């Protein structure tokens, strides 16, 4: 299909411009680099890293969707690693489409909506760029951490799934029913989640400045990895494109361990 048709469809589905302005997203959401006009294969990845771009070229991808793109506010001189990434994209004819907060917040293909669905949360309510929901039955923190490790499992070089180890900060009850989910870097929202009645915040990475807040508020947090909690949106979006337009897609794994 034509690149511009796909870009227009994505912008509308994700409310790209509206969400970018509403949340003052520092990312340049939307088409960041223009490649081939005709799109035949979709690539999905978390980061527009050099390794990701190189793999996309090897796999014959001509439209790469990422959560973390190449442009983050301000002006960027085209030198060094930034120059090499752009050069590879242009030489490979790859279109680069980035969706940061629009892909966090989307109610169907967003990172947080997908995580909430996989955990079985019901009665979902918007919360910042994520969601708060209720478990049908209370579950232990340890059980939920194990579940998050399972659903964020990554494949080794032989294709075997390896469960991730989540970090638990248990400052509240050992069993919970009301859970907030904010992928990536959401530890700043511990207090806000607590004020909304959540007993647990599931997010990606911890920050030292928020450590004591968890325990002093009687709150729980599970940290499942910044990268690992943000693979869901690009995958779900690529699946949606295949369903709508019949374009094949591939997920390009390049975990950071963070």
């Amino acid at each position: 299909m034509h690149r511009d048709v796909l870009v227009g469809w994505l912008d509308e589905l994700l409310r790209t411009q509206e969400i970018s302005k509403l949340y003052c997203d520092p990312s340049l959401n939307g088409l960041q680099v223009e490649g081939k006009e005709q799109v035949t294969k979709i690539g999905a990845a978390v980061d527009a890293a050099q390794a990701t771009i190189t793999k996309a070229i090897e796999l014959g991808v001509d439209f790469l969707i990422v959560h973390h793109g190449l442009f983050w506010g301000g002006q960027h001189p085209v030198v060094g690693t930034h120059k090499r990434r752009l050069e590879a994209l242009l030489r490979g004819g790859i279109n680069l489409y980035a969706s940061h907060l629009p892909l966090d917040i989307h109610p169907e293909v967003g990172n947080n909506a997908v995580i909430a669905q996989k955990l079985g949360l019901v009665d979902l309510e918007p919360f910042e760029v994520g969601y708060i929901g209720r478990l049908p039955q209370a579950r232990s923190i340890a059980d939920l951490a194990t579940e998050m490790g399972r659903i964020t499992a990554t494949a080794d070089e032989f294709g075997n799934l390896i469960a991730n180890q989540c970090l638990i900060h248990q400052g509240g009850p050992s069993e919970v029913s009301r859970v907030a989910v904010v992928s990536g870097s959401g530890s700043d929202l511990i207090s806000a989640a607590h004020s909304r009645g959540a007993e647990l915040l599931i997010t990606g990475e911890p920050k030292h400045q928020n450590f004591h807040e968890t325990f002093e508020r009687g709150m729980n947090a599970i940290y499942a990895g910044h990268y690992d909690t943000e693979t869901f949106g690009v995958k779900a979006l690529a699946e949606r494109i295949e369903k709508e337009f019949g374009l094949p897609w591939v997920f390009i794994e390049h975990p950071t361990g963070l």
Side-chain angles (χ1 to χ4, degrees), residues 141-146 166-171 200 215 220-223:
I141 300 298
D143 180 45
L144 286 167
T146 299
C166 297
L167 174 64
I168 300 174
H169 286 177
Q170 186 176 338
L200 168 67
F215 296 92
N220 297 301
I222 292 176
Y223 298 103

Side-chain angles (χ1 to χ4, degrees), residues 184-200:
S185 182
S187 67
D188 289 340
L189 299 172
I190 287 170
S191 298
H194 182 264
S195 69
R196 290 279 298 272
E199 301 150 307
L200 168 67

Side-chain angles (χ1 to χ4, degrees), residues 105-121:
I105 202 171
H106 196 275
E108 297 173 7
V109 298
N111 289 311
N112 297 298
V114 176
I115 293 172
Q117 183 271 327
K118 288 181 178 294
L119 289 175
L121 296 179

